[in-house]
Amino acid sequence: MAIDNKVTYPLDEAVDFVVIGSGSAGGIIAKELSTNGFSVVVLEQGPFREAKDFTHDELDVWVDDAIGGGRAASNIQTFRDDESKVAKVKPGRNPARYYEGVGGASVHFSANFWRFREIDFKERSAVGSFEGTNLADWPITYEELEPYYTKVDWDIGVSGAPGPFDSPRSKPFPMPPLPIKSSGVLLKKGAEAIGLTPQAAPLAILSQPHNGRPACINCGYCLGYGCEIGAKSSTLAAMIPQAIASGNCEIRAGCAVYNLETGADGKISEVQYLDPDGNQRSQKARAAVLSANGAETPRLLLLSESSRHPDGLANSSGFVGKNLMMNAHANVQAVFEHQLNDYKGVQVTQIVHDHFYESDPTRGYYGGGGFTARPLMAATPIWYSLVGQRADGPQWGAEFKDRIAHNFTRQMAVVASGTNLPLDRNNITIDPTHKDKYGRPSLRMTYRDHEDDIANVAYMQGFAEQMMEAAGAVEQWSPPAKAGTGGGHLLGTCRMGDDPETSVVDRYHRSHDVSNLFICDGSSLVTSGRGQPTMTIMALAFRAAEHIAAAANNNEI
Amino acid sequence: MTSETLSRRHFIQGSGALAGSSLFRLSVPAALAAAQAACSARDEGATFTTLTAAEAVELEAISARILPTTSTPGARDAGVIYFMDNVLGEKFAFMLPGVRDMLVEFQQGIADRFDGTLKFSDLSEADQDTWIGANDTTQFFSVVKTLTLWGFFAMSSYGGNKDNMAWDLIDFDGHGAAQPPFGYYDAQYMEEQNNGN
């Protein structure tokens, strides 16, 4: 697991950029800056794992969260659903879920790669304001981001085919969709039967060899697992090797940042971190790029409070950490007569958008979304046996066992994923009591979906039920749509905008307050999209890197 | 040898003895199940490193009602108790004190309800099911159920899922490359596409 860095930089000489985090955004920005000749140090708190280090060990990966940050028992975060309450440690998995290691969450995601549409960027103008929310237009448009979506398609590697509702694209997909699975066939059948228009799922998983990487072998271990052949288009597979090969990028894994230090000029002068042995280190830099994810980025800014920045760094707006959005979800479970064997292959091969995507005031609430067909829990045995059973069915005993045995290969899910309204009350702050495994004050999540978020996915759930019935399900059930208590889509907590009073970074991801600090990751998103945010995070990262490089070349950092 | 370090052979013998002592309470199928319990060790002669023999007997008995042996294998057949012994000593050692305390609590009340019988493992299967039914919303049952399912379906290297029998039970062979079609419906779809339908 050693990193074959081609360069090492001394701590006390300023590199051009310190990039904090190596995930969907950080991995791209590090690659783009280093291959354009800038000296880059990447600080990644997790380890460096190569494709060969990934396993199918469900107990280790899913139960023990070994490649995430670790269960709450070993790495404390806290959660509460209302700011009036004392946040508590959740049993089991932590509320802010991510992959901890080089490549970030792009390593373990399902790889659904929907582009946002034009409407996502100007929805406030289209649907109006909602009292008590921070719904806003983006400072950029789909047209401005489109070239970078295309760059993701080709440089990162996206499989797919154009859908009837997609926004315009300047270039075709670089490769066709992955083979349709039984869950996809059944969604397609059910959707068409009720007059909807299913389409092939765009995925950041290679259906053909691309850019020197192999095609997917359909092992089925996508959701929550690292790809052992590098067919999943993580930044670990698609960007980090090029960053290292540039000879300008040093990746320091196992290095947990605890403070961004500013000088008398108010600019970041150095980045302080714990090295893998727990020693305090500090790297001088001309500029910093913060891409630690939508939960860790605001935590780090809040941890970097000082007399010059008493409310946390880059937080004159008070918006650091606020507007947390995780995409509301609901699902329908369906069992069919014959075996789907949906544990094989990628998670999703068919999706449905239709009229669900856009918010419709006649429904009486704000919100939009889309459907995916997938095994979900029926991808792996432990998860399925623990979570994939209907709540009103047997929970132990012979019938319980028989249902698991019979249904594991016959069960699928239709997942409705949708929007969240950005709210002050949903946020990331610093826990006053607990500490994480590095000794830093713990991340505290406060979260309760807006009632519109729940109404939207509940509405969609009804259509999912119709689709599964039309597809011939012999049994189906719908777990109640309810507020989330954690998730892996960590969005909106350092939103971009033109107004320094209502946003944290400008349209080019530069902090309004700290001129040599750039922030780009899920925290940058102004709205939540319809449930698949990583494609947009990566497109933003390519765009941000271009502007950051231009600024550096013009001595504007 | 300490009480915590009994060999698996001793455990097996112990299971038989315990079953024998309470045979008057067992129906014939239950007696057979108890005898089968004596065959549940994955590696005879190996050592229990975490659980006492008494704890192992009780936890295995509970797990065997969660996933009973029927015409298909259950928790006992898959060696789930050896999984528990393993992970409660290492990977999930933080759970052990709670499991121990709650096991004692779980046993309390059995004597009052079942005519002086002290241990869950001494009850007939029908009575065991009755007792679980009265306790299946407790944290303890939830923990043992979780451990049982982990042990049944986790990789056999953790101690349970003997010979991958749990994966065979659910028809899961998902650890290698696969080629479509994967299931009935995509095969049918592919055939229709090939036939131009």
Side-chain angles (χ1 to χ4, degrees):
Chain A
M1 293 200 294
I3 303 171
D4 187 21
N5 280 316
K6 309 297 183 199
V7 63
T8 56
Y9 294 107
L11 295 170
D12 57 358
E13 292 180 18
V15 292
D16 291 326
F17 294 98
V18 168
V19 178
I20 303 161
S22 61
S24 299
I28 286 173
I29 291 171
K31 179 263 175 184
E32 290 293 296
L33 293 175
S34 61
T35 56
N36 277 287
F38 296 104
S39 55
V40 176
V41 167
V42 176
L43 297 174
E44 165 56 55
Q45 65 179 359
F48 178 68
R49 300 181 188 91
E50 298 175 84
K52 65 182 175 57
D53 299 318
F54 296 122
T55 73
H56 293 178
D57 184 342
E58 192 180 7
L59 192 76
D60 198 45
V61 175
W62 187 78
V63 173
D64 204 24
D65 201 18
I67 62 174
R71 294 158 59 87
S74 60
N75 184 34
I76 290 175
Q77 299 175 2
T78 60
F79 179 84
R80 57 185 179 176
D81 64 7
D82 190 278
E83 288 177 320
S84 65
K85 299 178 181 175
V86 175
K88 294 181 178 172
V89 180
K90 291 174 65 183
R93 294 163 74 86
N94 272 319
R97 297 171 202 143
Y98 52 80
Y99 172 87
E100 191 182 64
V102 175
S106 68
V107 170
H108 77 164
F109 64 2
S110 304
N112 287 293
F113 255 41
W114 305 358
R115 293 182 177 200
F116 281 18
R117 296 197 203 154
E118 290 104 322
I119 185 65
D120 285 295
F121 297 89
K122 53 188 181 187
E123 201 159 23
R124 164 70 177 77
S125 295
V127 302
S129 62
F130 292 85
E131 191 178 346
T133 80
N134 297 318
L135 185 65
D137 288 344
W138 290 55
I140 60 173
T141 63
Y142 174 83
E143 290 71 23
E144 287 176 77
L145 199 54
E146 197 285 331
Y148 306 97
Y149 276 130
T150 295
K151 196 166 174 57
V152 176
D153 280 347
W154 286 82
D155 288 11
I156 296 287
V158 180
S159 304
F165 309 107
D166 291 0
S167 290
R169 45 192 317 123
S170 57
K171 203 172 170 182
F173 282 96
M175 66 202 92
L178 277 296
I180 191 167
K181 297 170 50 166
S182 282
S183 59
V185 170
L186 292 163
L187 180 74
K188 187 173 164 62
K189 181 180 176 184
E192 289 172 345
I194 64 169
L196 300 175
T197 315
Q199 63 186 82
L203 291 182
I205 296 174
L206 304 184
S207 62
Q208 297 174 348
H210 183 73
N211 290 347
R213 292 165 39 218
C216 174
I217 60 170
N218 300 306
C219 77
Y221 281 80
C222 299
L223 174 53
Y225 294 79
C227 179
E228 70 258 38
I229 65 160
K232 190 195 286 186
S233 296
S234 63
T235 55
L236 176 68
M239 293 283 112
I240 297 297
Q242 296 174 61
I244 292 172
S246 74
N248 297 319
C249 181
E250 179 189 355
I251 294 177
R252 296 181 193 158
C255 293
V257 176
Y258 61 88
N259 185 45
L260 304 178
E261 185 69 17
T262 53
D265 59 359
K267 297 170 73 170
I268 290 176
S269 55
E270 51 194 296
V271 177
Q272 298 173 329
Y273 65 96
L274 299 171
D275 73 10
D277 297 321
N279 302 307
Q280 293 186 346
R281 304 289 186 204
S282 191
Q283 176 66 54
K284 293 186 184 305
R286 291 176 61 208
V289 180
L290 182 51
S291 298
N293 78 41
E296 294 292 0
T297 283
R299 175 166 73 137
L300 192 47
L301 292 172
L302 295 174
L303 284 175
S304 299
E305 66 173 356
S306 65
S307 57
R308 276 189 292 273
H309 305 281
D311 298 321
L313 197 61
N315 195 25
S316 62
S317 65
F319 266 32
V320 168
K322 289 185 177 171
N323 301 316
L324 174 64
M325 300 172 285
M326 297 196 289
N327 293 125
H329 290 86
N331 70 83
V332 170
Q333 298 289 326
V335 179
F336 289 84
E337 180 184 2
H338 301 289
Q339 288 186 310
L340 284 65
N341 296 324
D342 232 43
Y343 64 84
K344 298 181 181 182
V346 297
Q347 270 274 317
V348 178
T349 58
Q350 286 281 304
I351 65 175
V352 172
H353 280 176
D354 284 90
H355 64 280
F356 303 98
Y357 195 93
E358 296 204 18
S359 189
D360 179 353
T362 65
R363 293 183 204 137
Y365 57 80
Y366 162 82
F371 299 94
T372 54
R374 50 170 82 190
L376 198 61
M377 303 95 157
T380 50
I382 292 176
W383 193 21
Y384 177 74
S385 64
L386 277 168
V387 188
Q389 312 307 307
R390 59 187 306 161
D392 59 354
Q395 301 301 310
W396 54 275
E399 194 183 346
F400 172 67
K401 186 185 77 170
D402 289 347
R403 282 181 60 86
I404 292 172
H406 181 266
N407 290 353
F408 176 71
T409 55
R410 292 172 174 81
Q411 191 168 321
M412 62 170 280
V414 177
V415 176
S417 57
T419 45
N420 280 127
L421 279 162
L423 305 170
D424 283 348
R425 77 178 189 215
N426 290 337
N427 52 52
I428 300 293
T429 51
I430 305 299
D431 190 275
T433 307
H434 297 282
K435 290 195 175 359
D436 70 8
K437 63 186 175 185
Y438 301 108
R440 303 174 298 188
S442 284
L443 183 158
R444 178 175 64 183
M445 179 186 288
T446 306
Y447 193 84
R448 191 174 75 255
D449 288 296
H450 191 279
E451 51 268 31
D452 284 15
D453 305 337
I454 305 300
N456 177 49
V457 290
Y459 165 78
M460 293 176 63
Q461 201 175 30
F463 285 87
E465 290 166 357
Q466 289 181 40
M467 287 190 274
M468 288 295 89
E469 185 176 350
V474 295
E475 179 185 354
Q476 63 168 295
W477 64 95
S478 302
K482 58 184 180 183
T485 58
H489 299 182
L490 303 163
L491 311 172
T493 49
C494 292
R495 61 161 47 170
M496 65 194 308
D498 291 332
D499 184 350
E501 292 190 2
T502 58
S503 59
V504 177
V505 295
D506 69 14
R507 62 176 61 204
Y508 301 120
H509 297 266
R510 190 195 294 260
S511 159
H512 289 301
D513 301 348
V514 183
S515 64
N516 68 341
L517 171 63
F518 299 87
I519 302 169
C520 183
D521 55 22
S523 73
S524 310
L525 272 64
V526 181
T527 56
S528 68
R530 269 59 186 169
Q532 313 299 347
T534 311
M535 172 49 138
T536 295
I537 294 170
M538 287 192 172
L540 289 173
F542 274 118
R543 178 177 173 277
E546 191 175 294
H547 288 285
I548 294 168
N553 284 327
N554 291 331
N555 275 328
E556 294 173 350
I557 59 172
Chain B
M1 185 186 304
T2 67
S3 60
E4 282 77 24
T5 318
L6 291 169
S7 76
R8 292 190 178 186
R9 181 175 296 280
H10 279 84
F11 168 70
I12 294 161
Q13 292 166 345
S15 295
L18 287 167
S21 68
S22 57
L23 199 56
F24 71 98
R25 296 194 61 86
L26 297 175
S27 64
V28 171
L32 288 173
Q36 286 167 355
C39 302
S40 68
R42 288 196 55 188
D43 305 301
E44 282 195 50
T47 304
F48 272 101
T49 57
T50 306
L51 300 168
T52 66
E55 289 168 341
V57 167
E58 300 308 311
L59 291 172
E60 184 177 57
I62 299 166
S63 70
R65 301 316 303 151
I66 294 167
L67 297 176
T69 301
T70 56
S71 58
T72 55
R76 216 187 278 277
D77 310 287
V80 161
I81 191 60
Y82 299 103
F83 166 89
M84 292 187 191
D85 183 62
N86 174 14
V87 300
L88 290 174
E90 293 186 19
K91 198 173 186 67
F92 303 118
F94 69 92
M95 297 172 67
L96 181 62
V99 169
R100 283 204 156 122
D101 291 348
M102 289 189 291
L103 174 59
V104 172
E105 212 173 294
F106 177 78
Q107 305 271 40
Q108 289 169 356
I110 288 179
D112 287 346
R113 176 79 178 263
F114 298 104
D115 197 23
T117 301
L118 296 176
K119 294 177 180 173
F120 178 84
S121 60
D122 287 343
L123 298 173
S124 69
E125 288 185 352
D127 288 346
Q128 287 179 340
D129 287 353
T130 299
W131 191 240
I132 287 181
N135 289 276
D136 64 3
T137 57
T138 62
Q139 186 186 1
F140 174 68
F141 182 75
S142 173
V143 167
V144 177
K145 176 183 169 183
T146 299
L147 284 166
T148 299
L149 293 169
W150 288 353
F152 196 61
F153 287 115
M155 288 180 163
S156 62
S157 54
Y158 286 106
N161 194 8
K162 181 183 178 184
D163 300 329
N164 297 335
M165 66 173 60
W167 292 349
D168 290 343
L169 174 68
I170 63 173
D171 217 3
F172 171 71
D173 63 353
H175 282 287
Q179 287 298 319
F182 308 125
Y184 175 86
Y185 301 96
D186 52 323
Q188 193 181 49
Y189 180 80
M190 192 181 287
E191 192 177 326
E192 288 168 5
Q193 296 295 304
N194 291 338
N195 292 336
N197 295 333

